[in-house]
Amino acid sequence: MAWVFSLSAECGIKQSEAQQFAQYFNEISWVISNGRHSQCRAEFFQDIEENWWCRVCPSGLSEIGIDTPESAYLMTEIGIFLYQSLRFAPPFRYALVGREVDEFRTYSELIEEPALVFPGLVLAEAVWQATGASSVFRSFSLGYVWKP
């Protein structure tokens, strides 16, 4: 069974916002510490609440999970690159980087159960306010907070 390491972002009710988000990440690539080139591949889709998501999958990572110290290091390195790129991404409501993070919470689940937040979760300030503005979140970028 393959494990997918990705950035998943919920972009709201407009397909065009998910398309913009995907286009931004489809143009991003890095040379990682092992000398390999990692290219982002982004796609968008709707969830059961008809909100639009974008999944960004970087190339060059193990699909069987963390099986060596090198794969752990590379996932960490690419995760940092994804979060750095997310700081300048087109608008989104919330996002998370990790393994198997597709549709990790629908919008209504996030609003109704704000205690169920994950380390690394990035929220638009409006969503953060709607969840009760928990003090565990810190500034991420203009208009966004995150749980380190």
Side-chain angles (χ1 to χ4, degrees):
M1 178 172 143
W3 293 97
V4 177
F5 182 83
S6 66
L7 159 67
S8 286
E10 199 266 31
C11 298
I13 61 172
K14 295 181 182 175
Q15 180 179 359
S16 61
E17 292 193 2
Q19 287 173 313
Q20 277 186 304
F21 194 92
Q23 182 178 5
Y24 168 79
F25 274 96
N26 274 329
E27 296 173 1
I28 293 178
S29 64
W30 309 281
V31 175
I32 51 181
S33 60
N34 64 5
R36 291 186 190 152
H37 184 261
S38 182
Q39 174 73 45
C40 289
R41 184 186 82 253
E43 56 192 22
F44 53 92
F45 57 94
Q46 267 186 307
D47 66 15
I48 60 170
E49 294 180 354
E50 298 185 3
N51 291 311
W52 287 93
W53 287 77
C54 183
R55 176 189 312 114
V56 179
C57 296
S59 64
L61 292 173
S62 168
E63 290 186 355
I64 58 171
I66 298 172
D67 57 344
T68 66
E70 181 188 19
S71 65
Y73 181 85
L74 292 175
M75 283 186 189
T76 301
E77 180 181 10
I78 289 180
I80 291 168
F81 285 144
L82 287 168
Y83 277 116
Q84 288 172 341
S85 299
L86 187 60
R87 290 179 187 270
F88 306 102
F92 61 96
R93 293 201 294 192
Y94 56 98
L96 184 66
V97 172
R99 195 178 59 172
E100 299 297 312
V101 294
D102 287 353
E103 298 180 69
F104 57 91
R105 285 284 182 267
T106 62
Y107 183 74
S108 63
E109 288 173 332
L110 190 67
I111 298 301
E112 292 167 9
E113 300 177 49
L116 297 177
V117 296
F118 305 97
L121 179 63
V122 178
L123 300 175
E125 285 183 357
V127 175
W128 176 59
Q129 293 293 334
T131 63
S134 170
S135 62
V136 301
F137 285 86
R138 303 285 178 254
S139 178
F140 180 76
S141 64
L142 185 61
Y144 293 90
V145 296
W146 80 314
K147 182 177 180 183

